Amino acid sequence: MLRRDGVPDHIRSKREATIMANAALILADGTRFEGEAFGHIGETVGVAAFYTGVVGYQEVLTHPSYRGLLPVFTYPIIGAVGVNAEDHASPAVQAAGLVVREASRTYSNFRADRALPDFLREKKVVGLREVDTRAVAVHLRDHGEMAAAIAPADADAGRVADRLRKKGTPASAALLADVTWAGRREPDANPAAVVAVLNLGVTVGLLAQLTALGCVVEVMTADAPTEDLLDAGTDGIILSGGPGDPRDLEPQIETVAALVGETPLLGIGLGHQVLALALGGQVEAMPVGHRGLNYPVRNETGGRGAITVQHHRYAVVRDAPGDGAAVTHSNLNDGTVEGLEHADARARGIQWHPTRDDMNRPSPVLRAFCEGLKA
């Protein structure tokens, strides 16, 4: 059987075997999981967090919310549909590496243009396969997400763990600096509204949905001052999702606090958490984050529930969503806050990432926000 590059699978397997090396995932508590290196051969450090989605490995690797993380994929086979040029959540690989049970040596999909191992080698992303990812997920579920390293098999787990504990997790401000950028997106048709995005780690898909709704989108960097966000001729502002602990983002919290009541606001993911803090609310770290495609959310105001996509570890405290704010949505699995609203200030936040519906239309949340701006 030939791949698209014309190399027979049995030849490629031999080539891969020549560069394959024993390696291990070592957690900050000293726990060690054996595996085999693939993709870019080397060492890497990040925060180990498991992802439960059956699909979406390409989106996870390129999603800004995974900056500095080592995603552990619980689905047993990763890479079967290859990698294409259309499904990146951002232009760059954001994850620090990846851990899988089995990395498929073949791929089959009409949109794919390369295999996952080839993509990892090209982007210099360290991978680890043949790992008991179910055991890793159970350990992280019981002990919480923590710093981790993909290291050579002969590395001393105690010494690696000691270095991880001393180094700690990446600073949220540094993560934010790695994913933020400024730019402009124009709709295909005549513009109906202008939306500014405070870019805490915005995705390509979110911007595409906004332009499909007829919005001119002014993407502003995470350090954009309040006056720039308001002086861009905007009808409303979106606070995007992104990586890190929102409690460390004091400049962004102050900026959003100054925006409250001045213009319609929609916080998404990390932006939702920053909005709650700007309203005087509280945010707490979850032992294990929500990272997957099927999180059930209940609309507390009597509307329809939804199955949602989520990529986060921090959550708004239910009893402290912010002054004047009310909880609008809850997670049906664990009761965590999934949405809030401050009606008087025209500010709303959602914890999940809005995606297109089954008819390939922009998310109902984004549709409602943009239509409200046009009214």
Coordinates of all heavy atoms in Angstrom, one line a residue, residues 4 18 30 55 68 76 106 140 154 160-161 164 169 171 187 200 210 213 216 221 239 252 265 304 307 316 330 344 363:
R4 N 0.6 9.0 0.1 CA 0.6 10.0 -1.0 C 2.0 10.4 -1.4 O 2.2 10.9 -2.5 CB -0.2 11.2 -0.5 CG -1.6 10.9 -0.3 CD -2.4 12.2 0.0 NE -3.8 11.9 0.1 CZ -4.8 12.7 0.0 NH1 -4.5 14.0 -0.3 NH2 -6.1 12.4 0.1
T18 N 14.2 3.0 12.6 CA 15.6 3.4 12.8 C 15.7 4.6 13.7 O 16.7 4.9 14.3 CB 16.2 3.7 11.4 OG1 15.5 4.8 10.8 CG2 16.2 2.5 10.5
G30 N 6.6 12.2 40.2 CA 7.6 11.1 40.1 C 7.0 9.9 39.4 O 7.8 9.0 39.1
V55 N -12.3 12.6 18.2 CA -11.7 13.3 17.0 C -11.2 14.6 17.4 O -11.4 15.0 18.6 CB -12.7 13.5 15.9 CG1 -13.3 12.1 15.3 CG2 -13.9 14.3 16.3
G68 N 1.5 25.4 26.0 CA 2.2 24.9 27.2 C 1.7 23.6 27.8 O 2.2 23.2 28.8
P76 N -7.9 5.5 21.7 CA -6.7 4.6 21.5 C -5.9 4.8 20.2 O -4.7 4.4 20.2 CB -7.3 3.2 21.6 CG -8.8 3.4 21.3 CD -9.1 4.8 21.7
T106 N -0.7 4.6 9.1 CA -1.3 4.9 7.8 C -2.4 5.9 8.1 O -2.9 6.0 9.2 CB -1.9 3.6 7.2 OG1 -2.9 3.1 8.0 CG2 -0.8 2.6 6.9
L140 N -4.2 11.3 36.5 CA -4.4 12.7 36.5 C -5.8 13.1 37.1 O -5.9 14.1 37.7 CB -4.3 13.3 35.1 CG -2.9 13.2 34.4 CD1 -3.0 13.7 33.0 CD2 -1.9 14.0 35.2
D154 N 16.1 6.4 29.9 CA 17.1 6.2 31.0 C 17.1 7.4 31.9 O 18.0 7.4 32.8 CB 18.5 5.9 30.4 CG 19.0 7.0 29.5 OD1 18.2 8.0 29.3 OD2 20.1 6.9 29.0
V160 N 14.1 14.2 37.3 CA 13.2 15.0 36.4 C 12.0 15.6 37.1 O 11.7 16.8 36.9 CB 12.7 14.0 35.3 CG1 11.6 14.8 34.4 CG2 13.8 13.6 34.4
A161 N 11.4 14.8 38.0 CA 10.3 15.3 38.8 C 10.7 16.5 39.7 O 10.0 17.5 39.8 CB 9.7 14.2 39.7
L164 N 10.9 19.5 37.6 CA 9.6 20.0 37.2 C 9.0 20.8 38.3 O 8.3 21.8 38.1 CB 8.7 18.8 36.8 CG 9.0 18.1 35.5 CD1 8.2 16.8 35.4 CD2 8.8 19.0 34.3
T169 N 4.8 25.6 36.6 CA 4.1 25.7 35.4 C 4.4 27.1 34.7 O 4.7 28.0 35.4 CB 2.6 25.5 35.6 OG1 2.1 26.5 36.6 CG2 2.2 24.2 36.2
A171 N 4.2 30.7 33.2 CA 3.5 31.9 33.6 C 2.4 32.2 32.6 O 2.6 32.2 31.4 CB 4.4 33.1 33.7
P187 N -15.8 40.7 6.1 CA -16.8 39.8 5.6 C -16.9 39.8 4.1 O -16.4 40.7 3.4 CB -18.1 40.3 6.2 CG -17.9 41.8 6.3 CD -16.4 41.9 6.6
L200 N -7.0 36.9 23.4 CA -6.3 36.1 24.5 C -5.9 34.8 24.0 O -5.4 34.0 24.8 CB -7.3 36.0 25.7 CG -7.9 37.3 26.2 CD1 -8.9 37.0 27.4 CD2 -6.9 38.3 26.6
L210 N -17.5 34.8 12.7 CA -17.9 36.2 12.8 C -18.0 36.9 11.4 O -18.9 37.6 11.1 CB -16.9 36.9 13.7 CG -16.9 36.6 15.1 CD1 -15.8 37.2 15.9 CD2 -18.3 36.9 15.8
L213 N -21.1 36.0 9.6 CA -22.2 36.7 10.1 C -22.3 38.1 9.6 O -23.1 38.9 10.1 CB -22.3 36.6 11.6 CG -22.6 35.2 12.2 CD1 -22.3 35.1 13.7 CD2 -24.1 34.9 12.0
V216 N -17.3 42.9 10.4 CA -15.9 43.3 10.3 C -15.2 43.1 11.7 O -15.8 43.4 12.7 CB -15.7 44.8 10.0 CG1 -14.3 45.2 10.0 CG2 -16.4 45.1 8.6
T221 N -4.5 42.9 20.2 CA -3.6 42.1 21.1 C -4.1 42.2 22.5 O -4.8 43.1 22.9 CB -2.1 42.6 21.0 OG1 -2.1 44.0 21.4 CG2 -1.6 42.4 19.6
L239 N -14.3 38.8 24.1 CA -13.1 38.5 24.9 C -12.8 37.0 24.6 O -13.6 36.1 25.0 CB -13.3 38.7 26.4 CG -14.1 40.0 26.7 CD1 -14.5 39.9 28.2 CD2 -13.2 41.2 26.4
Q252 N -5.4 42.6 31.9 CA -6.6 42.3 31.1 C -7.9 42.4 32.0 O -8.9 42.9 31.5 CB -6.5 40.9 30.5 CG -5.5 40.7 29.4 CD -4.1 40.8 29.8 OE1 -3.7 40.4 30.9 NE2 -3.2 41.4 29.0
L265 N -20.5 43.1 25.6 CA -19.4 42.2 25.7 C -19.8 40.7 25.7 O -20.9 40.4 26.2 CB -18.7 42.5 27.1 CG -18.1 43.8 27.4 CD1 -17.6 43.9 28.8 CD2 -17.0 44.1 26.4
R304 N -32.9 25.7 25.6 CA -32.5 24.4 25.3 C -31.1 24.1 25.8 O -30.2 25.0 25.9 CB -32.5 24.2 23.8 CG -33.9 24.3 23.2 CD -33.8 24.1 21.7 NE -33.3 22.8 21.3 CZ -33.1 22.4 20.0 NH1 -33.3 23.3 19.0 NH2 -32.6 21.2 19.8
I307 N -24.8 20.2 23.8 CA -23.5 19.4 23.9 C -22.4 20.3 23.4 O -22.5 20.8 22.2 CB -23.6 18.1 23.1 CG1 -24.7 17.2 23.6 CG2 -22.3 17.3 23.2 CD1 -24.6 16.8 25.1
V316 N -15.6 29.6 36.9 CA -16.2 30.6 37.7 C -16.8 30.0 39.0 O -17.5 29.0 38.9 CB -17.2 31.4 36.9 CG1 -17.9 32.5 37.8 CG2 -16.5 32.1 35.8
S330 N -25.2 25.7 33.3 CA -24.4 24.8 34.2 C -24.0 23.6 33.5 O -24.7 23.1 32.6 CB -25.3 24.5 35.4 OG -25.6 25.6 36.2
D344 N -27.8 44.3 32.8 CA -27.7 45.8 32.8 C -26.5 46.3 32.1 O -26.5 47.4 31.5 CB -27.7 46.3 34.3 CG -29.0 46.1 35.0 OD1 -30.1 45.9 34.3 OD2 -29.1 46.1 36.2
S363 N -22.3 29.5 15.2 CA -22.9 29.1 16.5 C -24.1 30.0 16.8 O -24.1 31.2 16.6 CB -21.8 29.3 17.6 OG -22.4 29.4 18.9

